[in-house]
Amino acid sequence: MKVADVLEEMRSLLHTRGDLLRRIERAKAEATACGALLTEAPRGTGTQSRVERAGLELADLTRELAQVEEELTVYRRKVAPLIERMPVGTARVLMRLRYVDWNSVAEVADRAGYSRQNAYRALRSAENGVTSGDATT
């Protein structure tokens, strides 16, 4: 598999991971809110089924997140050595934050002191540097 293909797959998986993390937070908030209602609600109000649904959704999302992170781990093992061979500098730091540490682009931008748009540009440039020889992993 070419490096460019690995990075493209990782971008997709990282996007999915971010979406799953947001959905998990919402499911936790829903379960917490339902749990509070459950302690105050009279029996037979349907609140218990809402708590059960929230719990099942949370379990499904957590399983899906584990699968995505497992795939990301496989790809990380492929790209980490390439990133470590990059010259010391901003491009290497950005690539490490994104593809080894699994930070979102917004987090990469914050940590590097860039706007999100500039972080996207810098990451694309760094990716092009890694894939210029486009060896297979």
Side-chain angles (χ1 to χ4, degrees), residues 89-101:
T90 304
R92 179 175 166 179
V93 170
L94 295 175
M95 291 290 286
R96 180 171 240 305
L97 287 170
R98 181 70 172 141
Y99 293 106
V100 177
D101 299 340

Side-chain angles (χ1 to χ4, degrees), residues 91-125:
R92 179 175 166 179
V93 170
L94 295 175
M95 291 290 286
R96 180 171 240 305
L97 287 170
R98 181 70 172 141
Y99 293 106
V100 177
D101 299 340
W102 299 345
N103 286 286
S104 69
V105 175
E107 292 167 329
V108 170
D110 287 344
R111 295 199 52 196
Y114 285 3
S115 69
R116 199 175 291 183
Q117 185 177 12
N118 284 337
Y120 272 111
R121 285 186 191 136
L123 276 166
R124 290 289 180 233
S125 177

Side-chain angles (χ1 to χ4, degrees), residues 17-33 54 57-58 61-62 65:
R17 180 179 180 266
D19 183 51
L20 286 168
L21 289 171
R22 284 186 292 280
R23 290 172 59 198
I24 286 170
E25 285 307 309
R26 282 195 300 270
K28 284 180 181 177
E30 176 70 15
T32 301
E57 180 184 10
L58 188 55
L61 291 170
T62 302
L65 178 63

